[in-house]
Amino acid sequence: MAPVALYHLEANLVSCITSTSSILSTFYTTSMTIAQASRLFRTSKLTSQQLCNHSYNLAKFGENSLLLNAYTKILPINEILHQAQQSDNRIQNGIPKSLLDGIPVTVKANIAVGKYWEMPNACSTILTTTSTQQEDGSSDSIVEDCLSISNNTSSNNNSNVYESDIARRLLNECGAVLIGITNMDEFGMGSLGINNGLQCNNGNQQQTQNYSPTYNPIPWIQRIHTLQNRRQMNNKEEYEKYWLHQIQNSTPDNPHCITDEDSLIGLISDVQYLVHGDDTICEKEQNNVYNRHDKYALLSPGGSSSGAAAVTAHGSSLLSLGTDTGGSIRLPSAWTSTVGFKPSYGTWSRYGVVSYASSLDTIGFNTASTECAKIAWQCLRNKNNNSTNEHDTENSKIIWNGQMCRDATARVYHTENNKIRNNFDEKHSTDTKPLANIRVGIPSAFSLQELPSSIATAWSKSANNLQNNGGATLVSITESKLSSDLIKLALASYYVLACAEASSNLSRYDGVRYGMDVKLDAQDVNIDILQSVKDDIDFSPLHDMNILEHQISATRAYGFGEEVQRRVLAGTSVLSSDRFHTHYEAAAVVRAKLSQSLDILFRTSLNDDDCDDDDKVDAMLVPTALSFPCRLNNNGNGKSEGMDPTAAFANDVMTIPISLGGLPSISVPAASEENDMIGMQIFSSKGSEDMLLTVANILESNR
């Protein structure tokens, strides 16, 4: 029989769904929850093969018809169904690996997933094959003559595949079914999803010289819901019946089961027109922020985990693994009305994840609801899903492939704050209101002048929600406790440190051992042919270099995109001898001061007797983003542009301080009178993820 503890956890989570009408009727919900899918699996009303086939149909429709460009690879349907069949067999025999067994999931393109994606390319040309395949199977001869790939960057031998620790945990130990690989900003460098160097063409990876952006699915989901004539579902039975009908009648051309064929054709036609049609549709508006009256504008989903958020919002994935360096999961979640979860830095091993900034990179995920996030957290954090004691210290440790960890920067699960988690769970379960003993801080330092009034209003409503419906105590964090100047300095500190680490990490891609190898003949450097491959780069300085310098420079000039080159050069600059002390060390000092300022604001226990300072809190609530989704405009050259790069940097000001402190954080869709895509972010001290998820659930349930 299946483990009792496993289904006990499921029952608790499913009960949240039945008691939370807002989750059932949420306008943007396009897929069932993980808890409900797991329950339907167990009761034999639904199979993993049926659900995963529906997810595949949604993925294909999103790429081919809605042109979301959210995937770099969609697995063949036979591979997906083979995984799902194995899950069905385990579930039918009463031995599921976890609540994630049979659940369709996706993984970001910078995470290795073994035989399904041997080497992660991080959506960078430098880590991909350079010859483009034509329809007849031949390759582009000009590119092929100039360029070739090092044997270290790809392999078709399944015995030598490269698998990350987190992918092994998710797919092998938890039994999730991989649907595909999601798009991202190159190497995780970007906030808009426009720096990705690859696009998906009928599920097959292909290189494109002009970067194609990932689009936000929310405008199209709004229209699809209108065409479906969806009504509010008031109970679990109606919700279940609706989704079973959707899944059973799903097709690749119409996975949303739109009955009016003319309406479906019109939807697809409008998408094509907006993406490829008249340029007047894409005229730049004031401040480059979307017009609320233009319901079908082309909006950014945020970045860098743009694809992960987009596929979760569209519904083809119930759990999307991503990485968060300075807000790369939380910002997209806010702009796509999904839940974005970033645990404490070092919680999960980064072995097998392409590095950007090693002291900041954190694995997290996007889900459709906080209940889904809680299930994923419980399944992924414990080495033994069958444990009856969720807070057993030994079972809370992360075991990777029989070892503690293959990532030197990852901690064994944060045990220093076990007292917080244990006291919280024991105490809140007996209270009439779940947050009766929780103190939530509202820091004035995050109330920046640039914050739009509608986001500020949503912030205030969210705080009142936690107080009135959850019973939390609101505490004002004054300027004297946390300085707004320090929050603003965090932005500059982050980009100095992140760019410096990126410069160091990406220096390995020189075409000698790692990355694409640009073959230049020592006797006759054919710059003209190379120039014809990429017209927007001036290769003429190569004439003044030696052969090795030729190779390295040409490799990086061709292989790295604009944003990556910008950040690598900035990082190289701050690490130079004349700027190291004035820039890099100063940024490190700011980071240390900020981390200390945040740490001292949190209580070490939920027992009031242990806290002498009334200003100490258990969690803090702030907006996730400083702005609304940016509109993506066609610049006439086949590329899309959003906001100015400097403005894009500034947009991360609300998420970066938390990343610098290595703190756990979760972004939840917030209530808004105008249905804007707004996210509220809850963060706390390291190791307090359980508490954050409960606070987030209250915030989501009553919005």
Side-chain angles (χ1 to χ4, degrees), residues 364-384:
F365 51 74
N366 284 93
T367 60
S369 69
T370 54
E371 283 77 18
C372 294
K374 184 172 183 179
I375 291 177
W377 167 244
Q378 295 284 3
C379 292
L380 290 173
R381 81 169 186 180
N382 294 330
K383 72 169 184 177
N384 182 4

Side-chain angles (χ1 to χ4, degrees), residues 4-6 8-9 378 381-397 418 421-422 425-426 690:
V4 175
L6 193 63
H8 177 69
L9 171 61
Q378 295 284 3
R381 81 169 186 180
N382 294 330
K383 72 169 184 177
N384 182 4
N385 287 312
N386 301 340
S387 171
T388 58
N389 183 359
E390 294 178 21
H391 304 292
D392 184 359
T393 302
E394 182 63 25
N395 288 328
S396 294
K397 295 178 180 179
N418 275 345
R421 297 197 306 277
N422 290 343
D425 286 345
E426 292 169 1
D690 288 314

Side-chain angles (χ1 to χ4, degrees), residues 48-60 63 70-84 102-107 113 116-117 170-171 176-182 200 203 311 315-321:
S48 175
Q49 292 180 77
Q50 291 174 323
L51 179 58
C52 292
N53 183 70
H54 175 60
S55 294
Y56 174 81
N57 292 341
L58 283 170
K60 298 292 284 187
E63 296 302 288
Y71 285 90
T72 61
K73 179 181 180 181
I74 300 174
L75 266 62
I77 186 62
N78 61 317
E79 290 188 16
I80 295 173
L81 294 182
H82 176 68
Q83 299 175 70
I103 299 297
V105 301
T106 52
V107 175
V113 290
Y116 302 113
W117 187 249
L170 175 65
L171 303 178
V177 177
L178 183 67
I179 300 297
I181 309 300
T182 56
C200 182
V311 301
S316 60
S317 174
L318 302 192
L319 170 66
S320 296
L321 277 187

Side-chain angles (χ1 to χ4, degrees), residues 13-64:
L13 293 170
V14 173
S15 66
C16 295
I17 297 176
T18 60
S19 63
T20 305
S21 60
S22 65
I23 296 177
L24 297 177
S25 59
T26 298
F27 188 71
Y28 298 128
T29 299
T30 57
S31 63
M32 67 170 56
T33 65
I34 294 175
Q36 179 143 14
S38 181
R39 189 180 67 82
L40 292 175
F41 291 164
R42 182 165 55 91
T43 56
S44 300
K45 293 181 179 179
L46 179 69
T47 66
S48 175
Q49 292 180 77
Q50 291 174 323
L51 179 58
C52 292
N53 183 70
H54 175 60
S55 294
Y56 174 81
N57 292 341
L58 283 170
K60 298 292 284 187
F61 184 79
E63 296 302 288
N64 298 338

